[in-house]
Amino acid sequence: EIATRMGFDWIVIDAEHGYLDMKNVMEHIRVANLANTPILVRISEIQRGLIKRIMDVGADGIVVPHVRTAAELAEAVSFAKYPPEGTRGIGAERATRWGKGIGQCVPRANENSIVVAMMETVEAGDAIDEILDVPGVDAMFFGLHDYSATSGHPGTADEPSVMRRAMEIQQRIRKRGMPSGILASEKEEIKVRLEQGFRMIGLGFDTTLLISAATRVLEAAGRKVPESAWW
């Protein structure tokens, strides 16, 4: 709700990690829908019933984590799209105005729904051309911590050799005309990512933004956050 009032271009609800259940997700979606702010849900897995329910309650699209192959991404797209492009069933839920808007909502739903794939595995990087050939994918969002972990360097997102490979993949994505995204929450980092050609910039999580603001006011009051706070 705060983000929609502040004018963020888009919001992602993270249903892959953490505690959010479908009721929590729907409440966030409802607020974003009423504020006309595009809202995506990062799903926990590629599962037909899960994706259908998320789209039915009014999400504008999904973020698909840990993509490894073109085939599994194509399956996720299929679950998010109505026939003939996909296999999503038509229900009398929020997405169709509880059935009263089926004739108006369904014909334009496929064009308006968004599928973002997470580029966060070595396997996806190696198969990037096949993945980019999957119809219905709108953007590739880089998860550098997971990409680094699958490269054999868990707990870091700046191993030089791994980052060089990740940027090679990002340039390949750009050449194919696909938008790419990444997290960047500091001014200089945002500038660098924009110069690298990233156009879907995630400016932080609710928790990281809270920690950042809380750290600043603690330091202004003469208190330092102990390193042990994060152990």
Side-chain angles (χ1 to χ4, degrees):
E1 185 175 13
I2 293 170
T4 64
R5 286 183 175 273
M6 292 181 69
F8 283 82
D9 291 329
W10 49 273
I11 297 168
V12 173
I13 301 303
D14 188 357
E16 179 191 6
H17 303 289
Y19 64 88
L20 295 181
D21 60 21
M22 187 61 70
K23 185 175 185 300
N24 299 137
V25 170
M26 187 184 71
E27 288 171 351
H28 288 301
I29 289 172
R30 180 185 292 123
V31 171
N33 287 169
L34 291 173
N36 292 319
T37 301
I39 185 164
L40 310 175
V41 177
R42 180 158 73 167
I43 59 176
S44 58
E45 60 182 330
I46 300 173
Q47 198 269 335
R48 182 191 301 272
L50 174 65
I51 294 173
K52 172 182 167 58
R53 292 185 71 200
I54 285 170
M55 298 302 293
D56 278 355
V57 297
D60 292 295
I62 57 173
V63 178
V64 186
H66 292 283
V67 170
R68 289 180 168 82
T69 68
E72 63 183 23
L73 181 57
E75 188 175 48
V77 173
S78 174
F79 296 158
K81 305 287 186 179
Y82 291 123
E85 288 86 356
T87 60
R88 176 185 172 192
I90 299 171
E93 258 294 350
R94 294 190 72 251
T96 60
R97 308 300 182 262
W98 303 275
K100 299 298 290 184
I102 287 177
Q104 294 74 39
C105 298
V106 172
R108 63 174 186 263
N110 285 357
E111 182 179 354
N112 292 336
S113 59
I114 301 167
V115 176
V116 177
M118 292 291 293
M119 217 313 297
E120 55 184 354
T121 67
V122 169
E123 294 94 328
D126 291 343
I128 194 62
D129 284 309
E130 292 86 353
I131 286 172
L132 292 171
D133 285 337
V134 176
V137 179
D138 299 285
M140 300 290 297
F141 199 94
F142 279 67
L144 292 183
H145 276 284
D146 280 312
Y147 183 77
S148 186
T150 65
S151 301
H153 299 277
T156 180
D158 56 7
E159 183 70 24
S161 61
V162 176
M163 291 306 100
R164 281 196 297 272
R165 174 58 178 156
M167 292 305 101
E168 289 172 1
I169 296 167
Q170 190 262 350
Q171 291 302 309
R172 181 61 183 164
I173 293 169
R174 287 189 65 201
K175 287 179 181 178
R176 290 287 301 271
M178 176 75 70
S180 57
I182 199 166
L183 280 169
S185 57
E186 300 296 333
K187 183 177 180 179
E188 288 305 312
E189 184 185 15
I190 293 169
K191 181 181 178 181
V192 168
R193 296 309 187 191
L194 289 171
E195 290 173 349
Q196 290 172 335
F198 289 96
R199 290 296 177 264
M200 186 180 183
I201 307 294
L203 298 176
F205 303 102
D206 51 358
T207 48
T208 59
L209 294 171
L210 175 60
I211 290 169
S212 178
T215 299
R216 286 198 299 271
V217 295
L218 275 170
E219 291 177 348
R223 295 283 298 276
K224 184 174 177 62
V225 179
E227 288 296 324
S228 60
W230 315 123
W231 294 353

